[in-house]
Amino acid sequence: MDQIASDALTIVYGIANLALISLGLAIIFGMMRVINLAHGEFLMLGGYTVVVATNNGVNLWIAMLILAPLVVGVIGVVVERLLIRWLYGRMIDTLLATWGLSLLFIGIVTSIFGASTTTTISPPLGVITIGAYTSSGYELFLIGVAIALMAGVYAVLKLTTLGLLARGTMQNAEMAAALGVSTSRIYMITFGLGAAVSGLAGGLLAPITGVLPTIGVVYIAKAFITVISGGQAILAGTASASVLLGGVNGIVAFITGPTIGEVALLLLAIVLLRLMPTGITGRFFRKSL
Amino acid sequence: MRLARDFRGTLIVAALAVLFTLIAPVTLEFFTIITLTQVIGLAILGLSLALIWGFGGILCFGQTAFFGLGAYAYAIAATNIGGSTGAILIAVLVAAAFAAILGYFVFYGRVSDVYLAVITLTVSLILYSLIRRTSGPEYKIGDALLGGFNGTGAPPLNIPGDASAMLFPEHIFYVAMAALILVYILCGRVVTTHFGRVCVAIRENETRAELLAYDTRLYKLGIFTLGAAIAGLGGVFFAVGISRVTPDVFGLGQSALTIIWVIVGGRGTLIGPILATFALYYLTAALGTQQLLNTNLILGIILVIFVLAVPRGVIPTLTGWAATRRQRRALRARERRLRLRRPRGGEVAGEAE
């Protein structure tokens, strides 16, 4: 019984991890139809923000929960104004430009911090015991954060004026503009928010994975698969794809080891796309957010 | 008419390349020749993407997946068989078969351009993390250890049928150069055939091509598989050039570089990406020797600038520029003739310019 609980927790953590690293990408993709190839680097910058802040004596929690999203969000706004703005409607060029951006960020961070791992943060919150088994309290905390973040995004989109305008812009940008919504501003804010969520995720994962200029690579493959399998709906897509892919990955990895688990995740995603080319939410939960 | 002229252009470039092959070993240093073999492998990779992206309109971000599979398949097969000729064939077939399976899911699922880019990239990244984990002695295929992070050794080429007769580096250079030239001619030929023209038509307007009763999925799958086979061959020469295959062939950096070659060289040309491969290889090699500027930084800036400012790439921009100049000169010459004939009417023509 204890073992089942402990293993289930591991799988749930895998799902939460997937949702956490994908949500920022999903916001930007779902709202703006922009695939941000620099997503991994936003996560990486979040991680570095935490490392730099804690090295300078800032409390770890403040660094992770406030500074990381703030810094990366500002970077996101700057990027949108300087680069993405010129490329709306040209999806392939946006892809290429954000890829250039990703290399640029890797280059800058490598020049400043060097190419090796620079973190010494250990995950806070110690261990918790489930009967005879132990589990990391921090992982439990991350599961909570993933759920809270989903709820937060839902609340912003459903309950605030900004969310209403954003949803309107997402549905029909021209109509929204005709009704007096500054779509350019909405896009800027959306991109900034997506970047901020990515930064938060990167900051939260920094104590577990460490930070490295090229750490983005570790995340982006999984994040892209999750977002594409999920389809256009931000929350329902990310949640359903995370549960499906993360669950299968976790179960297969539990039986055969992590290598095969990742292959299973990829195979499942490709077969899924053959069956549902527009993602899970292209077929089911169409009206959802 | 134009197609025949295009192919004649291909042959002229190929003749120049043959000339270079004959001169290079005489004038260049021995070490440069050895490095050149590996750059030729990369150039074949660039050429494969030039074919499927520039002419097929398929934006494949993970062309390195086929390149890397070719390299690994060659290394493993050559170690097991003990000869390189069959191994090259196996490498090309493995890359093509993998692309055919992946392409079936992607093209027959009617996945859109942008998704395709991300899926192919993801596939190569997953291969990267997969092959990096194979460091234990239990991960081996036949006699070949996969070696995880450190990669596996790739035996040099040998004379067909005689596994003990290894080729010297300068001979491998000849073989690699011959492969590049032949593949270049093949690609130049393919894009002028009916198959190639249909692929270009699909690139221009897929719906219209489909309404003209072409099975666009099949054509895309065809050119995608051909491109992957070429990339696999490139992987073979890259592996032979550095006599080792490491997981980095699947890495994000390699994928990005391949895209940058084609963007810089220009989509819709075959020679542009090849030249860009050579140029950027030596640029990154030069950047690697100094500490001031990071290579990724420069590559990122190059990519962003080209997307924003020179989206067509160097070669098409240059030829376009030359064409407009030629046109303008012809126009001016005609005006001058008109002016000579009717001195008063000349001013009006001059204003119209």
Side-chain angles (χ1 to χ4, degrees):
Chain A
M1 185 60 213
D2 293 344
Q3 193 189 355
I4 292 171
S6 164
D7 293 337
L9 192 66
T10 311
I11 291 172
V12 171
Y13 169 67
I15 293 170
N17 189 345
L18 216 50
L20 210 54
I21 60 176
S22 316
L23 190 58
L25 188 70
I27 291 173
I28 292 174
F29 175 64
M31 300 287 285
M32 306 160 69
R33 311 299 294 160
V34 165
I35 295 185
N36 175 23
L37 271 170
H39 175 69
E41 280 59 47
F42 283 166
L43 292 162
M44 178 266 285
L45 289 170
Y48 269 97
T49 310
V50 170
V51 170
V52 171
T54 46
N55 283 351
N56 287 311
V58 179
N59 180 298
L60 178 62
W61 295 105
I62 294 176
M64 285 197 302
L65 296 175
I66 296 169
L67 276 181
L70 204 65
V71 169
V72 180
V74 169
I75 293 174
V77 169
V78 172
V79 164
E80 201 273 342
R81 284 291 97 173
L82 291 181
L83 186 66
I84 313 289
R85 183 153 70 110
W86 310 104
L87 299 170
Y88 283 126
R90 291 156 60 188
M91 258 182 124
I92 296 202
D93 288 340
T94 348
L95 264 180
L96 294 169
T98 48
W99 200 345
L101 196 69
S102 131
L103 292 174
L104 196 70
F105 279 141
I106 294 176
I108 293 172
V109 172
T110 314
S111 310
I112 299 174
F113 297 99
S116 54
T117 314
T118 48
T119 179
T120 46
I121 318 167
S122 55
L125 294 178
V127 290
I128 48 167
T129 50
I130 307 170
Y133 296 88
T134 58
S135 178
S136 158
Y138 190 62
E139 289 188 357
L140 210 60
F141 168 71
L142 286 186
I143 295 172
V145 170
I147 294 170
L149 209 55
M150 289 271 184
V153 172
Y154 180 82
V156 168
L157 282 176
K158 265 292 200 224
L159 305 177
T160 64
T161 319
L162 176 70
L164 186 68
L165 296 181
R167 278 187 293 143
T169 310
M170 177 164 80
Q171 270 181 13
N172 190 337
E174 277 171 29
M175 186 62 78
L179 291 171
V181 178
S182 166
T183 50
S184 162
R185 234 186 84 221
I186 294 287
Y187 283 143
M188 183 181 82
I189 295 171
T190 314
F191 200 87
L193 277 180
V197 170
S198 309
L200 177 67
L204 286 169
L205 289 172
I208 292 184
T209 57
V211 288
L212 201 67
T214 51
I215 190 112
V217 183
V218 180
Y219 302 124
I220 57 164
K222 284 184 192 168
F224 281 132
I225 289 186
T226 311
V227 170
I228 288 181
S229 312
Q232 209 179 348
I234 299 171
L235 289 172
T238 312
S240 57
S242 301
V243 169
L244 191 61
L245 298 176
V248 167
N249 182 16
I251 292 166
V252 174
F254 176 67
I255 299 168
T256 60
T259 311
I260 309 292
E262 229 160 70
V263 176
L265 190 151
L266 176 75
L267 284 181
L268 177 68
I270 289 178
V271 172
L272 209 63
L273 273 178
R274 174 72 185 85
L275 301 174
M276 303 179 227
T278 45
I280 299 172
T281 50
R283 174 75 55 93
F284 306 108
F285 326 109
R286 275 203 193 167
K287 296 279 174 200
S288 56
L289 265 176
Chain B
M1 278 294 280
R2 231 199 94 221
L3 291 181
R5 211 177 63 214
D6 280 357
F7 187 56
R8 211 157 52 227
T10 307
L11 290 181
I12 292 169
V13 174
L16 288 175
V18 171
L19 204 65
F20 169 75
T21 316
L22 295 177
I23 294 172
V26 187
T27 51
L28 296 172
E29 280 172 43
F30 185 64
F31 180 71
T32 319
I33 295 293
I34 297 178
T35 353
L36 264 176
T37 306
Q38 116 198 27
V39 190
I40 291 166
L42 294 171
I44 297 177
L45 170 65
L47 180 61
S48 73
L49 188 65
L51 178 72
I52 69 160
W53 188 13
F55 290 90
I58 301 164
L59 178 51
C60 177
F61 273 7
Q63 195 68 6
T64 50
F66 315 125
F67 177 75
L69 276 176
Y72 266 98
Y74 168 78
I76 291 162
T79 313
N80 282 315
I81 303 172
S84 61
T85 317
I88 295 178
L89 202 66
I90 290 175
V92 172
L93 286 180
V94 165
F98 184 74
I101 296 168
L102 179 67
Y104 165 74
F105 280 102
V106 179
F107 297 124
Y108 282 74
R110 293 196 177 278
V111 170
S112 76
D113 280 356
V114 184
Y115 278 16
L116 181 112
V118 175
I119 290 171
T120 48
L121 180 65
T122 315
V123 167
S124 84
L125 289 178
I126 297 259
L127 282 173
Y128 176 66
S129 64
L130 188 69
I131 206 87
R132 270 174 60 143
R133 292 220 182 102
T134 57
S135 50
E138 70 272 25
Y139 292 105
K140 59 178 186 177
I141 300 174
D143 298 331
L145 269 178
L146 288 177
F149 199 72
N150 295 321
T152 180
L157 299 178
N158 60 269
I159 294 168
D162 183 5
S164 58
M166 301 288 187
L167 291 180
F168 290 110
E170 59 262 56
H171 298 143
I172 294 180
F173 167 74
Y174 286 130
V175 176
M177 216 41 212
L180 175 61
I181 294 169
L182 286 177
V183 171
Y184 174 68
I185 293 174
L186 172 78
C187 290
R189 183 72 214 157
V190 163
V191 298
T192 57
T193 57
H194 178 74
F195 171 76
R197 299 318 288 173
V198 175
C199 288
V200 171
I202 295 170
R203 176 192 74 187
E204 291 301 319
N205 190 331
E206 186 165 352
T207 317
R208 191 175 290 177
E210 204 150 28
L211 289 173
L212 292 171
Y214 291 110
D215 187 351
T216 57
R217 302 171 300 181
L218 193 65
Y219 279 91
K220 280 169 116 174
L221 184 62
I223 200 163
F224 187 65
T225 311
L226 178 65
I230 295 170
L233 185 68
V236 171
F237 286 105
F238 183 74
V240 169
I242 54 175
S243 63
R244 197 155 193 86
V245 197
T246 61
D248 287 337
V249 288
F250 294 114
L252 190 65
Q254 189 58 56
S255 310
L257 264 177
T258 316
I259 294 288
I260 295 174
W261 296 330
V262 179
I263 290 266
V264 170
R267 279 161 278 179
T269 77
L270 293 171
I271 191 65
I274 296 178
L275 294 178
T277 309
F278 281 94
L280 283 170
Y281 180 85
Y282 285 103
L283 175 72
T284 44
L287 285 171
T289 56
Q290 49 88 40
Q291 295 294 314
L292 190 65
L293 289 166
N294 184 282
T295 311
N296 276 324
L297 190 85
I298 301 293
L299 288 177
I301 292 174
I302 289 177
L303 185 49
V304 172
I305 287 180
F306 267 85
V307 170
L308 287 176
V310 202
R312 285 163 66 202
V314 171
I315 300 281
T317 307
L318 282 182
T319 51
W321 182 66
T324 36
R325 265 196 60 161
R326 209 164 35 234
Q327 242 168 25
R328 227 179 271 157
R329 199 180 304 148
L331 208 74
R332 243 180 277 140
R334 215 186 61 194
E335 255 164 38
R336 230 174 288 133
R337 274 202 305 278
L338 281 176
R339 218 174 286 162
L340 283 176
R341 218 175 293 157
R342 287 179 296 149
R344 271 155 204 272
E347 278 167 32
V348 180
E351 274 169 24
E353 194 187 12

